[in-house]
């Protein structure tokens, strides 16, 4: 496990930074394949490292030959999580006019309060994945995205086609959603 310090706002590289939480599950084969599998969690809002603990058995076979890389997307898990303590049942009955005030209170209460919540998007998560791939020294990778993670994988494929060997989209969420 490690972290990668990145700018919260890529347009301001000298500004506030956040840490991306990363875990690498090394392949057990001495002659492992050079192309790892990057897992991308659903949600949005679920950290990949937490998701992996529930599905690790499904990746045991592929993990023999390939490293598995787990990156908590910015705003999730151990990467400056934007987790608010809401009663989800009560939220279903909230007057839509109250949502902006609830969101402001949530942001003010966050331990790792973002300087600019607009910097927690799918497009920036894709940039972050590419930074992680390069920082770890990998060539082309295999992507496994589930639910919302399929959207991230689709965006990554569009922006970095030469960096992808293959992709599995499990429970596709279309890019326009």
């Amino acid at each position: 496990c490690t972290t990668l310090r990145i700018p919260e706002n890529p347009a301001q590289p000298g500004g506030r930074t956040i840490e991306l939480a990363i875990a690498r599950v090394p392949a057990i084969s001495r002659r492992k394949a050079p192309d790892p599998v990057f897992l991308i969690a659903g949600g949005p809002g679920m950290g990949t490292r937490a998701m992996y603990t529930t599905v690790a058995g499904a990746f045991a076979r592929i993990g023999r030959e390939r490293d598995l890389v787990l990156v908590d997307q910015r705003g999730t898990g151990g990467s400056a999580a934007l987790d608010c303590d809401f009663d989800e049942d009560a939220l279903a009955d909230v007057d839509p006019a109250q949502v902006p005030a609830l969101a402001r209170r949530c942001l003010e209460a966050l331990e790792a309060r973002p300087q600019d919540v607009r910097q927690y998007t799918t497009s920036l998560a894709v940039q972050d994945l590419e930074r992680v791939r390069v920082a770890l020294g990998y060539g082309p990778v295999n992507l496994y995205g589930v639910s919302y993670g399929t959207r991230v994988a689709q965006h990554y494929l569009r922006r970095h086609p030469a960096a992808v060997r293959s992709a599995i989209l499990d429970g596709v969420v279309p890019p326009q959603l």
Side-chain angles (χ1 to χ4, degrees):
C1 294
T2 190
T3 60
L4 179 64
R5 186 165 289 282
I6 59 167
E8 181 182 53
N9 181 344
Q12 298 174 353
R16 180 177 190 255
T17 61
I18 60 174
E19 288 187 345
L20 293 179
I22 304 163
R24 183 178 63 89
V25 181
I28 59 174
S29 173
R30 288 187 179 153
R31 288 180 262 169
K32 70 178 183 178
D35 51 318
V37 177
F38 274 52
L39 281 69
I40 309 169
M46 178 177 232
T48 300
R49 295 176 315 147
M51 181 220 35
Y52 181 72
T53 63
T54 65
V55 298
F59 291 94
R61 190 168 176 191
I62 197 163
R64 286 189 238 159
E65 302 296 324
R66 287 184 167 76
D67 291 346
L68 303 175
V69 178
L70 320 169
V71 180
D72 284 350
Q73 179 177 313
R74 60 173 59 213
T76 73
S79 299
L82 302 177
D83 287 334
C84 296
D85 190 20
F86 287 125
D87 176 354
E88 293 193 25
D89 293 330
L91 280 177
D93 297 324
V94 168
D95 178 351
Q98 294 176 329
V99 171
L102 288 171
R104 275 191 295 279
R105 279 199 302 269
C106 165
L107 286 172
E108 290 168 3
L110 289 173
E111 186 176 314
R113 194 159 127 200
Q115 199 165 27
D116 183 356
V117 75
R118 294 172 299 179
Q119 302 305 317
Y120 293 78
T121 65
T122 301
S123 293
L124 289 173
V126 166
Q127 289 180 33
D128 295 344
L129 282 178
E130 179 61 5
R131 281 189 178 102
V132 169
R133 183 190 70 80
V134 170
L136 294 177
Y138 289 118
V141 300
N142 303 286
L143 302 175
Y144 175 85
V146 62
S147 188
Y148 165 74
T150 67
R151 182 174 182 200
V152 175
Q154 290 172 77
H155 282 270
Y156 189 90
L157 278 161
R158 185 172 39 236
R159 291 183 98 177
H160 305 286
V164 179
R165 178 183 167 271
S166 69
I168 296 173
L169 306 177
D170 187 354
V172 176
V173 175
Q176 68 274 15
L177 184 61

